[in-house]
Amino acid sequence: MEFFKNALLFVGLAAIVGILMQAVNINTTKAPEASHVEKSPADTAMVSLVKDYNVYALPIPQSINFAGEPVPVENPDIKERLDREFLVNTYWQSNGLLLVKRAHKYFPIIEPILEKNGIPDDFKYLAIAESGLMQVVSPAGATGVWQIMKATGREYGLEINDNVDERYHIEKATEVACQYLKEAKEKFGSWTLAAASYNAGRAGIERQQERQEVEDYYDLLLNTETGRYVFRIVALKEILSNPAKYGFNFTEKDMYQYIPTKEISVDTAVTNFASFAKEFGINYKILKIHNPWLREAHLNNKSRKTYQLKIPQKGYYTYNPES
């Protein structure tokens, strides 16, 4: 009887092993693909994207500068701070690609104004650090692409009221930024410190220089925002100057385009910008997109000042005038 028990146990174990082996064989055998099923280009592209997605440590350039002034990357704290900005701005991929696209649209406006005023071309990346090239308002009230405070804007001649806020006028705001930076450069003798003062204020930088008994930006211990500020600008400059090197892939058709406009003079009040816009074959939204400094649906203009409004050339927008 014991023999039969053992025999039955052996047979049972053998059967279980056989079943398990068959299951393993089934799971590890690749099923043939159905010949009639084709992968779509989107499926293929997605597989490629998944396979290509990797996160790498980024080599810091051995020689890097801001406005011709070298960044001392040989110092360990400087290298770490710069490395942080390279990683953050490279691997925030959606934001990085948006910056590339917006830069293509707005840099051609900003660059000639910087050049005319003798401001190094690198300062166009300061505008990116400030606003991402968007017409935004900070919690402190800094406004527009160049993030200009109301008092500063008025000090430099911008009109700022309920009707009109020229901090949203990209050309005029760029001119104000240039004037501020030229004065800061004259005060500090350094474009790097001029850039830092754009964030912390000239008095703020001067106060820290006196308190810490050092002059150079890279020797100062500053608050987190200002301490990261120039490093972020430098990283943005390198990444946007060499986007493919940092994994950003696009074609010319992917870029945002600046829409050509013509200027019209307005020296009277405008009671209704919606009706006004229709006279030029556009709608209220399109008028405001190209003239964001017009802050209300009307223009008082009691002083009969002459304003230059931008009207997009025909053929770039389509809309239903009755909607």
Side-chain angles (χ1 to χ4, degrees):
M1 181 65 71
E2 191 67 20
F3 170 81
F4 287 110
K5 287 182 179 179
N6 290 336
L8 288 172
L9 180 61
F10 176 80
V11 171
L13 288 172
I16 292 171
V17 170
I19 292 170
L20 289 173
M21 289 179 68
Q22 184 178 6
V24 170
N25 185 55
I26 290 171
N27 287 333
T28 57
T29 300
K30 185 178 179 181
E33 294 184 0
S35 59
H36 63 281
V37 177
E38 294 184 2
K39 290 184 179 179
S40 70
D43 291 336
T44 303
M46 183 56 68
V47 170
S48 177
L49 284 172
V50 171
K51 286 183 178 180
D52 288 347
Y53 183 79
N54 293 282
V55 177
Y56 299 96
L58 300 172
I60 302 300
Q62 293 300 304
S63 178
I64 193 165
N65 72 83
F66 173 72
E69 299 172 0
V71 180
V73 292
E74 65 275 8
N75 293 343
D77 70 304
I78 303 300
K79 184 176 181 179
E80 287 186 19
R81 289 159 70 185
L82 188 58
D83 184 53
R84 175 183 184 178
E85 302 308 321
F86 267 87
L87 289 169
V88 167
N89 289 285
T90 296
Y91 290 114
W92 188 6
Q93 294 96 331
S94 58
N95 186 67
L97 193 52
L98 283 169
L99 295 181
V100 171
K101 292 183 174 191
R102 292 188 198 123
H104 186 271
K105 180 178 181 180
Y106 292 111
F107 276 1
I109 301 172
I110 293 171
E111 289 167 345
I113 299 174
L114 295 177
E115 183 179 10
K116 180 187 73 173
N117 285 280
I119 303 297
D121 190 66
D122 284 359
F123 277 93
K124 64 191 180 187
Y125 301 103
L126 182 148
I128 294 181
E130 283 289 331
S131 66
L133 296 176
M134 294 190 296
Q135 300 281 13
V136 294
V137 180
S138 78
T143 296
V145 166
W146 289 96
Q147 290 289 276
I148 298 170
M149 296 294 290
K150 184 180 291 186
T152 304
R154 286 175 172 163
E155 178 186 347
Y156 284 91
L158 295 182
E159 181 179 353
I160 302 172
N161 53 51
D162 291 340
N163 249 195
V164 170
D165 189 339
E166 291 182 330
R167 291 176 294 174
Y168 291 97
H169 192 299
I170 188 167
E171 290 90 349
K172 292 186 177 182
T174 304
E175 290 282 358
V176 167
C178 288
Q179 295 307 309
Y180 182 97
L181 291 166
K182 279 197 289 189
E183 292 177 10
K185 171 61 163 58
E186 185 175 346
K187 179 178 183 63
F188 295 111
S190 159
W191 286 119
T192 303
L193 283 167
S197 76
Y198 197 92
N199 179 259
R202 292 192 288 255
I205 293 297
E206 187 175 33
R207 186 165 54 248
Q208 290 303 322
Q209 286 178 320
E210 293 173 355
R211 177 172 173 266
Q212 299 179 40
E213 300 181 5
V214 293
E215 297 293 327
D216 193 272
Y217 170 81
Y218 300 107
D219 291 327
L220 286 168
L221 181 62
L222 301 165
N223 65 65
T224 301
E225 182 180 341
T226 309
R228 293 182 63 183
Y229 191 68
V230 172
F231 292 95
R232 185 178 182 213
I233 295 170
V234 170
L236 288 168
K237 170 191 170 183
E238 168 65 15
I239 294 166
L240 269 68
S241 297
N242 305 283
K245 176 181 175 182
Y246 295 94
F248 293 99
N249 301 288
F250 52 87
T251 63
E252 180 68 20
K253 67 180 179 60
D254 298 316
M255 298 296 94
Y256 297 156
Q257 306 293 332
Y258 184 77
I259 305 302
T261 60
K262 64 178 181 180
E263 289 191 345
I264 61 166
S265 298
V266 174
D267 60 2
T268 62
V270 178
T271 57
N272 186 329
F273 272 128
S275 299
F276 177 88
K278 288 183 178 181
E279 294 177 17
F280 297 94
I282 57 176
N283 59 24
Y284 179 81
K285 179 192 75 172
I286 296 170
L287 178 70
K288 285 301 191 78
I289 286 173
H290 289 275
N291 302 277
W293 50 276
L294 295 171
R295 303 311 297 166
E296 295 185 306
H298 61 277
L299 181 65
N300 294 329
N301 201 10
K302 293 179 181 179
S303 64
R304 299 296 297 269
K305 179 179 177 180
T306 299
Y307 295 95
Q308 300 298 322
L309 274 62
K310 294 179 181 177
I311 304 296
Q313 293 183 9
K314 293 182 179 180
Y316 287 92
Y317 293 99
T318 58
Y319 79 101
N320 181 358
E322 303 302 324
S323 61

